[in-house]
């Protein structure tokens, strides 16, 4: 794209000034419409060193209400961020609905720098490109406007700016080793930048190359392109998105009604010694996980009163408390609801060597949100593929993913509900919502069957825990976790 790019002719100074005033005024007006229509806008500004990314963002936001935008400068990832999935630090920066997020560099800079300095082979580069394309497509599919700008200057212009900054004792600090390296290896950089821009130029999130030789001309190009993008997004905000074919390899799963529950029982005299033995083994594996820096994600879903909490407790009893965290997932808070539904789960991803246990998960999208009408039909139907992509991203990062559905029958649930209702110290466990959900048992069962069938992938399969006998389910869960960890550690 860079090699074939010719740019557009800069207008006269008088015309430029008039258009600039009009574009600034239009963006200020659009900001209120963006807020009213709850459109999230992500603006990524990439480009050459000394091309003016930061100063350009500063000019663009000057006329905006500061309550409804944020600016972030994405430096090199910290040691802590390097222990999280690649997309983690970028995904958590996405804006709330109705707000702008401006990024001074981002995922492009991180990837091309690694490729330029040979810190990434071709296979890893292609994997990162796939991750980025999925990330940007998921954002646009979920109603985000993603605007990507690359500020382009010639080698001669960059050298001129570097020399001017170095001659100014108060500004020389702004020239980095990276800027000098770029200018010396300009042609090599052009080749890598060009490949990246081609690889990630998508109809839903295209690249806009900006002639950055003149500061005001740079600002005008970005403002006019941005306001045009906002206008189109506001007009198309309610459109549904075509569903993608699920191409992920799936593991065949039975329907819930086909799972026998009466034979899933363990005798009391066998339970305690098995529990002790399995917990001891799990503790040993936890130490190895930390040493080998392998992340683990354990996800629990199941019927209300199925025994998820007690099951999780028997797992965590065996673990070093410094190396795991349990995340009880309730209804999303307003700031969570205002973002992509996976945002709050990205925020809870474990570091390498640590374990994250989720008591309810991202699968709420295709269960409670589907049945209670908290999202559109297009949203939850699209989510199967998005969730498979999400888990694939975690798998490729190196995470061991273990997913449990805790299964009971309707009569067992009624018995446990009644016991909770009639026992004062257990009443906090039962709510009116639990009873309302029970009335929709058949609808939930249909949704769960579809969920399990469409998201039990070879890299993140579902495991059914028969939990009419809670002790049996606990032993089975421990055995499965141990088996999966041993397999992953090999």
């Amino acid at each position: 794209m860079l090699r074939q790019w010719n740019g557009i002719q800069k207008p006269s100074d008088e015309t430029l000034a008039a258009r600039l005033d009009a574009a600034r005024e239009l963006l200020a007006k659009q900001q209120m419409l963006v807020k009213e229509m709850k459109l999230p806008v992500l603006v990524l500004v990439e480009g050459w060193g000394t091309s003016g990314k930061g100063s350009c963002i500063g000019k663009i936001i000057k006329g905006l209400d500061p309550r409804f935008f944020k600016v972030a400068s994405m430096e090199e990832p910290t040691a802590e961020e390097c222990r999280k999935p690649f997309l983690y630090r970028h995904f958590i920066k996405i804006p709330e609905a109705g707000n702008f997020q401006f990024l001074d560099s981002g995922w492009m800079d991180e990837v091309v720098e690694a490729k330029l300095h040979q810190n990434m082979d071709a296979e890893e580069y292609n994997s990162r490109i796939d991750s980025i394309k999925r990330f940007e497509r998921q954002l646009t599919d979920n109603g985000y406007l993603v605007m990507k700008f690359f500020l382009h200057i010639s080698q001669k212009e960059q050298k001129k700016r570097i020399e001017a900054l170095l001659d100014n004792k108060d500004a020389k600090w702004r020239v980095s080793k990276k800027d000098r390296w770029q200018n010396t290896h300009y042609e090599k950089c052009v080749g890598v930048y060009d490949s990246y821009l081609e690889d990630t130029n998508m109809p839903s999130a295209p690249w806009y190359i900006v002639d950055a030789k003149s500061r005001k001309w740079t600002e005008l190009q970005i403002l006019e392109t941005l306001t045009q993008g906002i206008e189109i997004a506001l007009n198309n905000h309610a459109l549904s998105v075509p569903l993608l074919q699920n191409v992920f390899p799936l593991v065949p799963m039975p329907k819930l009604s086909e799972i026998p529950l009466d034979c899933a029982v363990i005798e009391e005299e066998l339970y305690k010694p098995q529990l002790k033995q399995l917990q001891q083994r799990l503790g040993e594996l936890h130490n190895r996980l930390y040493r080998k820096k392998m992340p683990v994600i354990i996800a629990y879903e199941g019927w209300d009163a199925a025994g998820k909490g007690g099951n999780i407790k028997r797992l965590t009893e065996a673990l070093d408390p410094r190396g795991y965290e349990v995340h009880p997932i309730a209804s999303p808070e307003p700031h969570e609801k205002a973002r992509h539904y996976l945002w709050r789960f990205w925020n809870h991803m474990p570091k390498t060597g640590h374990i994250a246990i989720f008591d309810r998960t991202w699968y709420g999208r295709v269960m409670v949100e589907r049945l209670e009408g908290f999202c559109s039909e297009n949203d939850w139907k699209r989510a199967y593929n998005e969730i498979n992509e999400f888990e694939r991203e975690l798998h490729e990062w190196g995470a061991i993913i273990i997913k449990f559905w805790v299964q009971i029958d309707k009569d067992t649930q009624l018995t446990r509900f009644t016991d909770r209702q009639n026992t004062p110290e257990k009443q906090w466990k039962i709510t009116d919502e639990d009873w309302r959900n029970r009335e929709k048992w058949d609808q939930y069962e249909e949704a769960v069957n579809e969920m399990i069938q469409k998201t039990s992938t070879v890299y993140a399969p579902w495991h059914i825990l028969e939990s009419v006998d809670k002790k049996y389910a606990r032993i089975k869960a421990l055995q499965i976790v141990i088996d999966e960890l041993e397999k992953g550690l090999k």
Side-chain angles (χ1 to χ4, degrees), residues 36-99:
E36 181 183 335
M37 298 289 288
K38 299 188 183 304
L39 173 68
V41 182
L42 178 61
V43 182
L44 175 64
V45 182
E46 297 277 9
W48 294 94
T50 74
S51 62
K53 298 187 293 294
S55 59
C56 187
I57 292 173
K59 290 175 182 176
I60 288 169
I61 64 175
K62 197 172 181 180
L64 299 180
D65 188 325
R67 294 173 296 174
F68 308 125
F69 72 79
K70 290 183 179 179
V71 178
S73 180
M74 301 298 288
E75 306 291 343
E76 290 185 13
T78 64
E80 181 84 1
E81 289 170 338
C82 286
R83 295 184 63 184
K84 298 285 185 97
F86 158 61
L87 285 176
Y88 161 77
R89 73 191 194 108
H90 304 296
F91 211 114
I92 64 173
K93 291 292 185 185
I94 64 174
E96 289 189 35
N99 285 253

Side-chain angles (χ1 to χ4, degrees), residues 4 15 33 214 275 282 284 292 315 349-350 368 417 426:
Q4 288 79 37
T15 302
L33 292 173
S214 160
L275 180 67
L282 181 56
E284 294 168 356
K292 293 198 171 188
L315 280 182
M349 286 300 106
V368 63
F417 274 16
K426 292 183 180 180

